[in-house]
Amino acid sequence: MNETIEFSATVSTMTRDGVLVVTIDNPPVNATSVDVRSGLEKALAHAETAADVTGVVVTGAGKTFIGGADIKEFGKPAMEPTLPDVIETIEGLSKPVVAALNGAALGGGLEVALACQYRIASPAAQVGLPEVKLGIVPGAGGTQRLPRLIGILAALDLITSGRSVKAEEAVTLGIIDEVAAGDLIEAAISAAFALAGKPLRRTGELNVAAADPAEIEKVSAKILARARGQKAPAEAVRLVTSSNRPLAEGLADERATFLTLRDSRESAALRHVFFAERESSKVVGLEGVEPRPVETIGICGLGLMGSGIAVAALGAGYSVIGLDQTSEAAEKGRQRIIGLLERNVAAGRLDQAGFEAQKARLSVTADDADLAPCDLVVEAVFDDLTVKTDLFQRLDEVVRPDAVLATNTSYLNPDEIAAATAHPERVLGLHFFSPAHVMRLLEVVRCSKTAPDVLATGLAVARKLRKLPVVTGVTEGFIGNRIFSAYRREAELLLEDGALPHEVDAALEDYGFPMGLFAVYDMAGLEIAWARRKRQATTRDPSARYVEIADTLCEAGRLGQKTGRGWYAYPEGKRTIDPEVTAIIEAARAKKGITPRAFSMREIVERMLAAMALEGEALLTEGIAARASDIDLVMINGYGFPAYKGGPMFART
Ligand code: 3HC
């Protein structure tokens, strides 16, 4: 290769065999920031005019091709050239341009590749248009060029789901032309060389293949139903299904739609969530702290929660030793875990070889001593302080002194559990959500004595389990259940003040929760919260307003869906408003002399959001949550708060 030319701080080129190899080097993900765009424009202009250049290869430095447009530039004044400008130049070039996908080509990155005449990828590459996940549509030709390459139905699937596909699948779909078996750049140069002087196959000039209108209609309706009123997927459907029109017209429509959505509240919320997820694992004081190595995880208690944790751990490649009280209980646990793995096989999430490998990494026992090889033990036994402290004291006797001990308690004080052990510094909380192999959220509880490398271990394991870890301090219910309690309390206050359960639920569902609070309550059962209220009765502040309605329902045997009655009635399993509940609520109001008033959906939501935000503020003041965005992540990933509203703390801004 001859000399390097730097066209900008992030774009440089070298020429080989008449092919100009353009490399984008803009860590961490080669996002198409203004410096990248202007560097590309200059490099392409050079390619067009340089007589010794017959073709171009575009590639990325590092492990990403291009991670997309630079999201950090959103909301700032537009800077020329825009990405569509650069892409138009690529497609308009009189010489062939080959995209050499060395890694992920996402969003604007894939749009750059789509405008090239040939796409060749390394086996590790993946491609996708994840814009809908950020509340936008592709804004640089994705909705118009992808259907020209792979047809409307396949493009609809990819663009409205935002999922990315691996190189092999991308070849099958027709998004990329070839997976390079050997050196990617060599192969790309050969491809550009071979295309030189031949008629150019411009993606934008291809026709969109005809597809069955009835099928398009059916698929679109399904996508719109799933979008639950979110704008981006609906606009993506509109743009993709109308892509069979002149390219320039489709591109102009797409760009205008992209710009409107980019400036919307929905997109700001989803971008907030994107950055919040990356921020959450950055924990003050843990910089440079090495986690302890973990290969074998012990799980105590193989009920629903323990089995779910085991499935997550096996799936992440850990060896698992499950402990239960008797060998019969342990064997039952093993069966339950295998049943869950089999379900993964049936759903196509796990192949037979993977199933066998996971099964081979699982053993169960009723003998504490068998946990000796564990690097980490997670307990998921009955949520009772004596049961848990007794278990941890027994574990002290059998595991290495540097093995980490984690409690999955929801409401007990993990500091008290830690204090009962010989090495409290190795104890932390790992609060999984049920079902543990499905739910992404994991509250990582930093106890008062937890050592930094123990906390780092908790975070590292969480990431390997593909969970979203959020660090919380010790408080009753941690971040999630503290906010949830405030939310529930406000809902019950609303009942006393004049709203009915179905009105509260309708307002929440209209806001974007998948299910209203009282319906959830009925599904989960009312008895656990009732038992807690009874436990707390003696310590409750007598001057605080207390709503007795839930207690009255429980006393009447209305424990939720499983008893056929709760906040609603369930004749033939169908949730219906129950006049008996309305009467109980009216009686409670009358007892306190409250004159009920009507609430609009908006008022209901505002009160609920305000209650959550207020409790969130308290968690920040108390130092339980490190940042407001962590609270948002907990509520979105553990409690059904709609991501496109950004979480309760974002929503108040
Ligand atoms: N813009 C700005 N910053 C970005 C970014 C982007 N598109 N993508 C990632 N980053 C940042 C992250 O915030 C993070 O920053 P930090 O180190 O300060 O926390 C850093 O890059 C590394 O990101 P990850 O931790 O996610 O790194 P991974 O290696 O795990 O994943 C990735 C890399 C797969 C590229 C992943 O970052 C990703 O999915 N990025 C977003 C992709 C995306 O949504 N692209 C579409 C953008 S919108 C668009 O292109 C519009 C167009 O149609 C006009």
Side-chain angles (χ1 to χ4, degrees):
M1 298 212 188
N2 64 14
E3 65 172 320
T4 304
I5 312 176
E6 289 183 358
F7 284 96
S8 75
T10 54
V11 176
S12 62
T13 64
M14 281 200 270
T15 314
R16 247 243 345 250
D17 299 337
V19 175
L20 187 76
V21 179
V22 183
T23 305
I24 300 163
D25 188 2
N26 184 28
V29 298
N30 294 335
T32 57
S33 60
V34 65
D35 189 76
V36 170
R37 301 194 302 267
S38 70
L40 282 174
E41 278 283 62
K42 287 179 201 153
L44 292 164
H46 168 74
E48 184 66 55
T49 53
D52 60 338
V53 172
T54 57
V56 179
V57 166
V58 179
T59 193
K63 65 181 175 71
T64 311
F65 172 65
I66 300 172
D70 188 340
I71 316 169
K72 290 180 180 135
E73 279 182 4
F74 286 15
K76 295 185 187 156
M79 280 174 287
E80 309 259 311
T82 64
L83 193 56
D85 293 339
V86 177
I87 285 175
E88 199 181 321
T89 309
I90 293 176
E91 195 162 67
L93 215 74
S94 66
K95 300 170 185 178
V97 186
V98 172
L101 309 182
N102 53 304
L106 300 175
L110 179 56
E111 291 174 303
V112 165
L114 291 176
C116 295
Q117 278 90 50
Y118 197 78
R119 285 153 292 279
I120 179 164
S122 71
Q126 46 169 319
V127 303
L129 291 171
E131 283 88 344
V132 288
K133 294 184 180 169
L134 298 171
I136 51 177
V137 291
T143 65
Q144 304 303 300
R145 287 193 182 86
L146 193 60
R148 283 173 162 77
L149 270 187
I150 68 171
I152 287 182
L153 287 168
L156 264 183
D157 167 41
L158 282 187
I159 295 175
T160 62
S161 69
R163 77 183 172 98
S164 46
V165 296
K166 295 199 175 122
E168 286 298 346
E169 188 183 347
V171 172
T172 312
L173 283 168
I175 303 173
I176 59 179
D177 301 286
E178 184 186 340
V179 175
D183 185 276
L184 174 70
I185 301 302
E186 286 300 326
I189 290 172
S190 303
F193 195 76
L195 290 172
K198 305 224 168 87
L200 296 173
R201 179 185 182 254
R202 293 192 169 100
T203 311
E205 289 171 1
L206 303 174
N207 289 322
V208 179
D212 175 8
E215 185 65 13
I216 293 178
E217 185 71 37
K218 198 174 102 196
V219 171
S220 302
K222 223 162 142 186
I223 295 165
L224 295 182
R226 212 173 40 218
R228 298 174 55 90
Q230 286 183 73
K231 291 191 200 80
E235 290 290 24
V237 166
R238 187 180 65 75
L239 289 162
V240 173
T241 54
S242 63
S243 58
N244 192 6
R245 55 176 160 163
L247 181 72
E249 196 184 308
L251 289 180
D253 189 353
E254 179 199 72
R255 188 68 184 168
T257 309
F258 164 80
L259 291 174
T260 307
L261 290 175
R262 189 194 62 181
D263 296 336
S264 69
R265 182 83 180 146
E266 216 168 277
S267 174
L270 287 165
R271 290 193 318 261
H272 161 75
V273 174
F274 177 84
F275 288 116
E277 288 192 3
R278 273 132 195 100
E279 201 65 18
S280 72
S281 53
K282 293 177 190 152
V283 179
V284 180
L286 285 197
E287 303 84 359
V289 175
E290 280 296 315
R292 299 182 187 181
V294 175
E295 280 171 18
T296 301
I297 299 183
I299 297 169
C300 305
L302 299 177
L304 219 57
M305 182 56 94
S307 303
I309 299 171
V311 169
L314 291 167
Y318 291 109
S319 293
V320 169
I321 306 174
L323 175 85
D324 216 314
Q325 277 173 323
T326 62
S327 36
E328 293 74 39
E331 179 50 30
K332 220 170 139 196
R334 199 179 77 88
Q335 292 303 338
R336 185 179 286 124
I337 295 165
I338 289 174
L340 291 172
L341 294 179
E342 280 167 350
R343 263 202 247 167
N344 282 346
V345 175
R349 289 188 291 264
L350 183 64
D351 61 19
Q352 197 57 33
F355 171 73
E356 294 301 337
Q358 295 194 19
K359 213 163 80 171
R361 277 188 271 110
L362 170 69
S363 61
V364 297
T365 180
D367 183 354
D368 298 350
D370 288 336
L371 293 181
C374 293
D375 308 300
L376 162 71
V377 180
V378 185
E379 70 73 18
V381 298
F382 187 63
D383 213 16
D384 174 272
L385 190 61
T386 320
V387 173
K388 296 209 191 237
T389 50
D390 171 64
L391 173 68
F392 270 37
Q393 283 163 350
R394 278 162 33 218
L395 290 176
D396 264 344
E397 303 292 319
V398 294
V399 299
R400 290 191 319 272
D402 64 337
V404 173
L405 301 184
T407 168
N408 178 51
T409 184
S410 302
Y411 285 104
L412 299 173
N413 183 341
D415 275 337
E416 286 181 31
I417 300 172
T421 71
H423 305 284
E425 70 287 349
R426 62 154 155 185
V427 176
L428 83 167
L430 288 179
H431 183 219
F432 287 84
F433 287 70
S434 191
H437 56 300
V438 175
M439 295 287 282
R440 216 175 140 226
L441 179 64
L442 179 56
E443 285 183 313
V444 178
V445 188
R446 179 184 223 158
C447 305
S448 61
K449 297 227 166 76
T450 305
D453 67 335
V454 168
L455 187 64
T457 307
L459 287 166
V461 169
R463 276 190 292 267
K464 195 162 164 198
L465 293 174
R466 301 171 73 88
K467 300 286 175 204
L468 176 65
V470 175
V471 174
T472 164
V474 174
T475 181
E476 173 149 352
F478 312 122
I479 295 176
N481 280 333
R482 270 267 307 257
I483 305 244
F484 189 66
S485 294
Y487 169 72
R488 198 161 59 191
R489 187 181 128 79
E490 193 62 29
E492 292 182 15
L493 291 176
L494 275 163
L495 298 187
E496 264 191 1
D497 289 344
L500 286 171
H502 67 276
E503 290 167 347
V504 174
D505 282 359
L508 292 171
E509 284 169 23
D510 180 68
Y511 182 72
F513 281 87
M515 213 185 210
L517 175 71
F518 293 105
V520 171
Y521 225 158
D522 272 358
M523 215 171 67
L526 273 58
E527 69 282 3
I528 295 179
W530 187 29
R532 275 190 59 227
R533 286 196 301 276
K534 283 196 273 196
R535 266 203 315 273
Q536 292 166 340
T538 50
T539 51
R540 191 177 301 131
D541 175 3
S543 64
R545 187 172 159 192
Y546 181 75
V547 181
E548 289 173 8
I549 300 167
D551 293 342
T552 314
L553 294 186
C554 292
E555 282 153 17
R558 307 187 66 109
L559 297 179
Q561 221 162 317
K562 64 182 159 227
T563 57
R565 303 171 325 145
W567 290 98
Y568 295 92
Y570 294 87
E572 285 149 31
K574 200 176 163 326
R575 187 186 316 136
T576 40
I577 301 167
D578 189 340
E580 210 176 292
V581 175
T582 309
I584 291 174
I585 294 170
E586 282 167 354
R589 291 173 191 154
K591 192 172 157 193
K592 288 193 183 170
I594 297 170
T595 312
R597 71 171 187 88
F599 286 94
S600 68
M601 286 221 208
R602 199 192 156 126
E603 276 177 303
I604 290 174
V605 167
E606 274 172 5
R607 269 186 59 170
M608 301 289 275
L609 291 181
M612 281 194 258
L614 193 69
E615 193 66 10
E617 285 300 340
L619 288 169
L620 290 172
T621 312
E622 293 164 34
I624 302 297
R627 41 181 100 80
S629 60
D630 282 356
I631 297 174
D632 287 337
L633 290 182
V634 168
M635 298 320 288
I636 289 168
N637 292 284
Y639 298 84
F641 199 103
Y644 59 93
K645 294 282 166 62
M649 306 308 278
F650 178 84
R652 87 209 141 130
T653 56

